[in-house]
Amino acid sequence: MSTLQITPSISQLRRQLTPWRDEGEQVALVPTMGALHQGHLSLVRQASAMAQRVVVSIFVNPAQFAPHEDFAAYPRTLKSDCDKLADTGVVDLIFSPPPEEMYPPGFATGLTVGGPALGLETDFRPHFFGGVATVVAKLLIAAMPHVAIFGEKDYQQLLVIRRMARDLGLATEIIGAPIVREPDGLALSSRNVYLSSNERMIAGTLNKILADACNQVRACGPIAEIEKQSTNALLSAGFDSVDYVAIRDAQTLAPIEALEQPARILAAAKIGRTRLIDNMSI
Ligand code: PAF
């Protein structure tokens, strides 16, 4: 049974953080949408290695879901999330606001994002990064943490948030944390619970196909050809559709023609109604 206090309001959050900051303690924020798994808990552990105080936010952000997406069905497991966070022994506070606290009636402000937000996820989920950037900016302004930790699983999101924080002059340092994987290499995701057992087997091929593509890029294979072959390999493995397999500059996500700088392979593909994303450094 969790003994961690859940803070529902921004004003209460600020009141709780003030004495810690006044004492000179570093504060780390781990923003989440709940449905916590080992990947989230690894972010929490990284946060505690970087700061004396760890705040975890749990908020399923309606602004980053399109009307046809899974906002209503998104797993909400607040009680077990709190137990998992309490079990880590390093979390000081959970911020879990109701929707009207983050989006009060009449809310009419949103961030427009460019740069690393262009292409890839944005081609398929045009609303997504605006919604993410807006809620993360609100969380960073509310908590004013020294650092905030985000998983590299959502690599494009990490770059968009880093750019947003820099562009708005927010004082928080944005830290990326490595992807946590299942034994077969499937990246942990709250959406993996949607997979049937057959779909779960197919899902386990995504990381292998990407790892194979990385090796081909390192061996100087032609980038466009590797992207096409990997797409076909995913379809042959049982994915129903592939949104993209893209080999990009690791910092800007601009297309590249050869491996002359740090690069990243990113992919999104659907099995049934579940959309999976993954990425790897090359
Ligand atoms: O990655 C997520 O869980 C969400 O996009 C985030 C960063 C918590 C914003 O809602």
Side-chain angles (χ1 to χ4, degrees), residues 1-279:
M1 178 52 185
S2 164
T3 49
L4 281 170
Q5 196 196 334
I6 301 178
T7 299
S9 78
I10 292 172
S11 56
Q12 193 180 331
L13 173 71
R14 289 200 173 119
R15 275 199 302 280
Q16 287 170 299
L17 293 176
T18 300
W20 298 342
R21 249 194 299 270
D22 289 350
E23 286 296 311
E25 292 180 319
Q26 301 275 311
V27 175
L29 174 69
V30 182
T32 80
M33 297 206 300
L36 301 183
H37 50 63
Q38 285 302 322
H40 296 110
L41 301 182
S42 79
L43 305 183
V44 168
R45 283 190 287 274
Q46 181 152 343
S48 101
M50 301 189 75
Q52 288 95 338
R53 298 288 181 174
V54 175
V55 178
V56 177
S57 65
I58 298 179
F59 180 64
V60 184
N61 174 31
Q64 66 191 73
F65 291 79
H68 65 277
E69 291 182 341
D70 57 344
F71 174 68
Y74 196 84
R76 287 162 173 83
T77 54
L78 185 60
K79 196 191 159 309
S80 76
D81 289 346
C82 293
D83 291 343
K84 286 177 191 168
L85 293 174
D87 287 348
T88 65
V90 297
V91 175
D92 294 282
L93 197 157
I94 297 170
F95 176 56
S96 184
E100 59 278 14
E101 179 69 9
M102 297 305 277
Y103 300 109
F107 186 90
T109 303
L111 289 177
T112 306
V113 287
L118 300 176
L120 303 174
E121 284 301 289
T122 298
D123 289 343
F124 297 88
R125 307 182 71 199
H127 58 282
F128 179 65
F129 287 126
V132 168
T134 302
V135 82
V136 172
K138 283 202 69 155
L139 291 168
L140 296 182
I141 291 165
M144 289 193 294
H146 296 85
V147 294
I149 323 282
F150 297 85
E152 286 184 350
K153 157 92 181 351
D154 296 280
Y155 187 76
Q156 191 178 7
Q157 168 177 280
L158 170 65
L159 297 189
V160 170
I161 290 170
R162 200 171 265 151
R163 175 67 65 88
M164 176 275 291
R166 196 187 312 150
D167 288 353
L168 297 184
L170 303 180
T172 304
E173 188 185 351
I174 305 299
I175 307 288
I179 299 175
V180 178
R181 295 181 181 278
E182 298 278 9
D184 69 348
L186 175 66
L188 296 193
S189 162
S190 304
R191 290 190 168 99
N192 291 351
V193 297
Y194 299 154
L195 297 167
S196 69
S197 59
N198 184 47
E199 290 171 341
R200 172 64 189 80
M201 264 168 46
I202 297 167
T205 63
L206 173 57
N207 71 94
K208 296 181 182 68
I209 289 167
L210 294 190
D212 199 36
C214 290
N215 287 335
Q216 291 180 52
V217 176
R218 288 186 198 109
C220 300
I223 300 284
E225 194 51 37
I226 296 168
E227 291 172 342
K228 209 182 300 166
Q229 279 171 12
S230 307
T231 300
N232 290 337
L234 288 169
L235 294 171
S236 304
F239 280 86
D240 292 302
S241 60
V242 178
D243 285 350
Y244 57 84
V245 176
I247 295 158
R248 298 292 177 95
D249 179 283
Q251 287 312 311
T252 63
L253 297 184
I256 58 168
E257 283 177 10
L259 187 59
E260 284 159 357
Q261 66 265 61
R264 201 99 189 171
I265 185 164
L266 305 101
K270 273 196 200 135
I271 319 176
R273 288 169 50 215
T274 308
R275 185 172 184 274
L276 299 178
I277 59 170
D278 199 352
N279 68 86

